[in-house]
Amino acid sequence: MNTTTSRTYSWYLGWWTVYFALKVILFWSDTLKFDPLYNFALLAFIALPLPKGWFNRLRHCIAAGAALLLLHHDSFLPPLDRLTSQWELISQFDSSYLLSLAVDFVSLDFVLLVLLASIGYLYLNQMFRLSTFVVIGMVTCSIPASVWQPSATTNLVQASTGSLSSSSGITNQANINPENGSITEIDTSSAGLNRYLSDFFSVQSTLTSTLSSVENITPNYDILFVNICSLGWDDLEFSGNIDHPLFKELDIVFNHFNSATSYSGPAVLRILRANCGQQSHADLFNSKLTKQCSLFDQLHRLGFEKEVLMNHDGKFDGFNKHIASNIGSFTAAIDVDTMQPSQYAFDGTKIYSDRDILSKWSEINHANPTVSLYNTISIHDGNRVIGQSGSRLVTYKRQQTQLLDDLYEFFQNLKTSGRNVVVVVLPEHGAAVRGDRMQISGMREIPTKAITSVPVGVKFFGDVSLTNHQQVSVNAPVSFLAISDLIANIASSGIYNGADGSLSSLVANLPQTPVVSQNQGTTMLEVQGKQFYSFDETSWTEYKQ
């Protein structure tokens, strides 16, 4: 009788030993954090001796829910409220895309680890009381990192504050104060980074593109922005397309262009607002800034007709409305409803071939010079190509290659036509195909440099007078204001009116912009090579990939 009672009321973890063992392993592999208070509280709740019966079963049900929440709490993933804030958009994803995301969320390595841990528990538990070893492991996870590490790093890093008063904004490339020549430091505590961000937007609010001062030109060329969703340098490297022939065709390449966001709506607004310095995410939706900051309105003032074309219907997340709010009501230059789709998007809508869209655009006989925005979502995560199958990553690689091939063919056709066109390849943001420990593949809630560092380039076609056509690279950190200034330099140079110019002169003195990126409720900035993120613009955490 005593033996039975003892077994019924013993301190016992059972299969929960596997859960806590996995957390210890993942902590020491730097895959999870470990909150001692919550983890030991859960352990005590589970192991507390209780008689078998419905109350004990209820205890384990409650523990299962708490364990899942604690697993997320200890992970490096964004808070759950960031997911719920996007629920209206997520609910528009079709079921096959949601399933593929769920499959990718659980890696094969993790599944194998769970299986091995479970088998190990069944075998070793016959010889040892494994819960004892697990508790010891949890105690080691609770020891502060400073005990294991020889020294803590300082929370001060060198960066430039003197350039806050310059026309280029803050720069990550110099640490010299222009007033006294001294080297200054930026405090990377939360208070220091709050001041840094405030100073950044204060300076950017004073900047305006030189395009505003261009007068009395008669344009005889078109400008085409090829606005690509989901293409970053990191994605090109992942897919093996970083040396694609298209990039050798470009006359000017920006190696460190920051898209400043990782979502399509804000991305297109930043392009259309490029006549001003970088604005906060909230200010992108401030209609009072539209007129003075509108790149297309400035070009319209100089004689360019505004034009928009897309290879999708533009309805998701009000994309059409974002464009219309900045350039006025428009009708797409290409009627895609008369075409056959080549893909279906993540929300089940139709996507059309880039080759077909751009070919039709080339055939349009424009009466006046145009500035055109072409938005393509051909390589958006979750697209399904008609007549083909494959995983998300396989499809992405294949479609990325197809898109680059289509653009390369488009370039060759423009060369043959002799038409005067300036093509600006300007991706919205990257696809985050690799993912990291904070964000799974395809997740872009935190706009890291891996997502916002995008391949931007310019190509001149037609009768253009350039003394040297050898490709020029811009290696300084820049953003949309630099594109607007470059267009101003092209307009005032006269290179399409017989005046000789050089690529190096066109990119000379373009404004630099430090790396600050935002989505709704999320801010990321880079200080001296380190990335810091905040969900409230009050407290900051270093982003370690």
Side-chain angles (χ1 to χ4, degrees):
M1 184 69 177
N2 290 337
T3 302
T4 304
T5 304
S6 175
R7 287 177 180 174
T8 303
Y9 291 88
S10 65
W11 291 81
Y12 182 64
L13 283 179
W15 279 99
W16 283 102
T17 304
V18 176
Y19 171 83
F20 289 108
L22 284 171
K23 295 196 74 173
V24 171
I25 294 169
L26 293 173
F27 172 80
W28 285 111
S29 66
D30 202 28
T31 305
L32 281 183
K33 298 174 287 186
F34 188 86
D35 189 312
L37 177 62
Y38 291 149
N39 278 281
F40 278 105
L42 178 62
L43 182 143
F45 178 69
I46 292 168
L48 187 68
L50 288 176
K52 292 182 179 180
W54 69 268
F55 190 75
N56 188 46
R57 289 193 291 271
L58 177 62
R59 188 251 305 259
H60 284 291
C61 290
I62 295 172
L68 290 175
L69 291 174
L70 183 55
L71 186 63
H72 179 271
H73 172 77
D74 282 342
S75 76
F76 293 97
L77 295 172
L80 287 174
D81 62 355
R82 301 306 309 145
L83 175 64
T84 56
S85 67
Q86 301 291 331
W87 186 251
E88 183 179 350
L89 298 181
I90 294 174
S91 64
Q92 297 179 46
F93 296 169
D94 66 17
S95 56
S96 60
Y97 180 44
L98 290 173
L99 179 61
S100 67
L101 288 175
V103 170
D104 289 342
F105 182 77
V106 181
S107 69
L108 177 61
D109 290 348
F110 182 74
V111 172
L112 290 175
L113 181 61
V114 171
L115 288 174
L116 288 174
S118 301
I119 294 171
Y121 170 76
L122 287 171
Y123 178 71
L124 295 175
N125 200 47
Q126 301 177 76
M127 297 175 283
F128 306 104
R129 189 177 176 87
L130 291 181
S131 58
T132 302
F133 295 100
V134 168
V135 171
I136 293 172
M138 292 173 66
V139 170
T140 65
C141 295
S142 306
I143 299 174
S146 57
V147 174
W148 305 103
Q149 298 173 354
S151 63
T153 56
T154 179
N155 72 335
L156 294 178
V157 295
Q158 294 180 344
S160 169
T161 56
S163 60
L164 284 172
S165 60
S166 72
S167 61
S168 297
I170 312 167
T171 173
N172 291 327
Q173 304 230 323
N175 301 319
I176 306 298
N177 188 323
E179 295 181 0
N180 54 28
S182 64
I183 296 179
T184 58
E185 292 180 331
I186 288 181
D187 179 5
T188 57
S189 67
S190 289
L193 294 178
N194 287 333
R195 289 192 297 271
Y196 182 91
L197 184 66
S198 177
D199 289 343
F200 170 80
F201 284 123
S202 177
V203 170
Q204 292 296 309
S205 67
T206 67
L207 305 181
T208 305
S209 170
T210 54
L211 187 63
S212 299
S213 60
V214 175
E215 301 284 352
N216 301 322
I217 68 165
T218 304
N220 60 345
Y221 58 91
D222 299 314
I223 302 173
L224 173 64
F225 290 95
V226 180
N227 188 214
I228 305 169
C229 179
S230 303
L231 183 67
W233 284 117
D234 189 65
D235 305 317
L236 288 168
E237 188 175 274
F238 171 81
S239 299
N241 280 323
I242 204 159
D243 293 320
H244 191 279
L246 174 72
F247 299 110
K248 295 179 175 63
E249 288 284 320
L250 297 171
D251 295 317
I252 300 170
V253 176
F254 293 88
N255 290 322
H256 299 286
F257 188 98
N258 181 35
S259 70
T261 187
S262 57
Y263 285 119
S264 297
V268 77
L269 290 176
R270 292 195 180 279
I271 295 169
L272 299 175
R273 297 283 192 89
N275 197 55
C276 291
Q278 185 170 322
Q279 298 147 60
S280 69
H281 180 86
D283 279 345
L284 291 177
F285 303 90
N286 182 352
S287 59
K288 294 180 180 178
L289 297 174
T290 300
K291 188 171 183 61
Q292 69 188 75
C293 295
S294 174
L295 172 63
F296 275 45
D297 280 354
Q298 286 296 325
L299 289 169
H300 182 67
R301 176 181 63 85
L302 296 176
F304 292 90
E305 297 296 330
K306 296 179 283 188
E307 184 179 66
V308 177
L309 54 154
M310 296 175 284
N311 72 337
H312 55 100
D313 64 17
K315 294 178 181 179
F316 185 79
D317 195 24
F319 192 77
N320 283 338
K321 295 178 181 178
H322 290 317
I323 298 176
S325 67
N326 280 266
I327 70 170
S329 299
F330 68 91
T331 299
I334 304 296
D335 183 8
V336 294
D337 290 336
T338 63
M339 303 170 60
Q340 292 296 317
S342 60
Q343 302 180 59
Y344 286 99
F346 54 91
D347 61 348
T349 56
K350 298 175 182 178
I351 301 175
Y352 303 87
S353 163
D354 294 294
R355 176 183 297 176
D356 293 345
I357 297 282
L358 292 171
S359 177
K360 286 181 176 294
W361 180 81
S362 300
E363 295 170 0
I364 298 175
N365 184 19
H366 294 97
N368 299 304
T370 59
V371 53
S372 305
L373 175 70
Y374 172 51
N375 182 264
T376 171
I377 61 169
S378 291
I379 55 176
H380 193 288
D381 188 40
N383 288 355
R384 302 187 308 282
V385 182
I386 295 175
Q388 297 180 3
S389 61
S391 67
R392 287 174 51 245
L393 297 185
V394 168
T395 298
Y396 179 83
K397 285 184 178 182
R398 186 168 56 212
Q399 288 309 110
Q400 185 192 88
T401 300
Q402 183 64 58
L403 170 65
L404 298 176
D405 288 347
D406 287 350
L407 290 177
Y408 181 79
E409 181 180 319
F410 174 61
F411 276 21
Q412 305 315 306
N413 292 337
L414 282 180
K415 283 182 183 179
T416 303
S417 72
R419 179 178 175 180
N420 290 351
V421 186
V422 178
V423 177
V424 182
V425 178
L426 185 56
E428 294 178 354
H429 52 73
V433 289
R434 290 189 211 255
D436 56 39
R437 68 179 185 178
M438 284 199 71
Q439 300 186 112
I440 63 171
S441 173
M443 188 176 184
R444 293 175 275 113
E445 184 60 31
I446 303 176
T448 65
K449 280 191 69 177
I451 304 172
T452 64
S453 182
V454 295
V456 174
V458 180
K459 175 69 177 177
F460 298 95
F461 295 94
D463 187 14
V464 57
S465 300
L466 290 170
T467 56
N468 187 349
H469 241 103
Q470 185 174 357
Q471 187 180 88
V472 169
S473 295
V474 178
N475 294 313
V478 298
S479 197
F480 297 99
L481 188 63
I483 296 298
S484 188
D485 271 22
L486 174 60
I487 291 173
N489 293 343
I490 295 169
S492 57
S493 68
I495 57 175
Y496 275 103
N497 297 105
D500 288 337
S502 66
L503 294 173
S504 57
S505 65
L506 293 176
V507 299
N509 300 317
L510 292 179
Q512 298 181 22
T513 304
V515 178
V516 175
S517 304
Q518 291 184 306
N519 293 323
Q520 183 179 358
T522 309
T523 299
M524 167 71 75
L525 55 83
E526 181 186 49
V527 175
Q528 203 67 14
K530 293 184 178 181
Q531 296 185 73
F532 298 86
Y533 69 94
S534 174
F535 294 122
D536 56 10
E537 292 188 18
T538 300
S539 58
W540 295 82
T541 305
E542 184 177 350
Y543 193 96
K544 296 180 179 180
Q545 292 178 291

